[in-house]
Amino acid sequence: MGKGMVEVVNQQAIAKFNERTQGEQTDYKTLQAQHAEIIKKIDRLEERYIEEEIGSELYNKYRVRYKGGKEEIEKNLMKLSRQVSNLDGGVGFAMKLALELPLKWVSANYNTKKRIQFLLFPEGITYSKKTDECRTPRINSIFAYVAYFQQIEIKKEAYQNQDWILPLLQLW
């Protein structure tokens, strides 16, 4: 696959990732704002307690409430923080792996082949004895893009190597 095609696949993968995580990014920003707000409330509560505006009973009641809310928000922030800080680097690594996959498969041992298979087909592979066919419910989108663009490039090269086909293609 040429460098231009690799760049197209990289851009497409990044766009797809951003599209799929758009709602999560909005939720993450909302949670960050809530986290900042609850920290302000905790600070204000401590300040009022130190300045003896409120007693220890009221302080303890609200401290427990705010601390529980803060922990819940932080737990949700951790769940949503799986956004990749270096998305370009991650996609580049995945592309390199995808392009080298056939060589890695040939030299891999059984356990490595199982890991590669799960990477390609995250929901597994099923086999039907009745039809003697394998099925894959889903293919990892990075590898699907690579396969798609490699097919396009192979077809393009095949057509370019056959000069008599080019005039026919231009008619379409």
Side-chain angles (χ1 to χ4, degrees), residues 99-146:
L99 293 171
E100 296 173 354
L101 203 57
L103 295 174
K104 291 190 182 297
W105 181 265
V106 169
S107 64
N109 62 23
Y110 175 75
N111 288 327
T112 304
K113 285 183 178 182
K114 278 179 39 179
R115 289 173 52 202
I116 290 171
Q117 182 177 314
F118 183 73
L119 184 64
L120 283 169
F121 311 111
E123 295 175 15
I125 300 174
T126 59
Y127 174 74
S128 170
K129 281 185 175 183
K130 191 182 264 185
T131 61
D132 192 33
E133 292 179 330
C134 290
R135 288 277 177 205
T136 56
R138 186 172 76 83
I139 298 174
N140 185 319
S141 55
I142 290 286
F143 297 105
Y145 285 133
V146 170

Side-chain angles (χ1 to χ4, degrees), residues 1 7 167:
M1 184 181 294
E7 185 58 33

Side-chain angles (χ1 to χ4, degrees), residues 153-163 165-166 169:
E153 192 166 293
I154 288 169
K155 287 178 184 177
K156 180 179 161 185
E157 288 174 7
Y159 289 137
Q160 286 177 347
N161 291 336
Q162 297 178 3
D163 294 335
I165 292 179
L166 288 176
L169 291 176

Side-chain angles (χ1 to χ4, degrees), residues 5 25 33 37 39 47 52 54 59 66 71 75 77 79 85 89 99 104 111 114 118 125 135-136 142 151-152 171-172:
M5 201 58 84
Q25 291 170 358
E37 186 63 34
I39 288 174
E47 185 179 304
E52 298 178 358
I54 59 171
Y59 169 76
Y66 290 156
E71 288 172 357
K75 186 171 75 173
L77 278 170
K79 286 180 188 176
S85 60
L99 293 171
K104 291 190 182 297
N111 288 327
K114 278 179 39 179
F118 183 73
I125 300 174
R135 288 277 177 205
T136 56
I142 290 286
Q151 287 174 356
I152 289 173
L171 293 174
W172 284 340

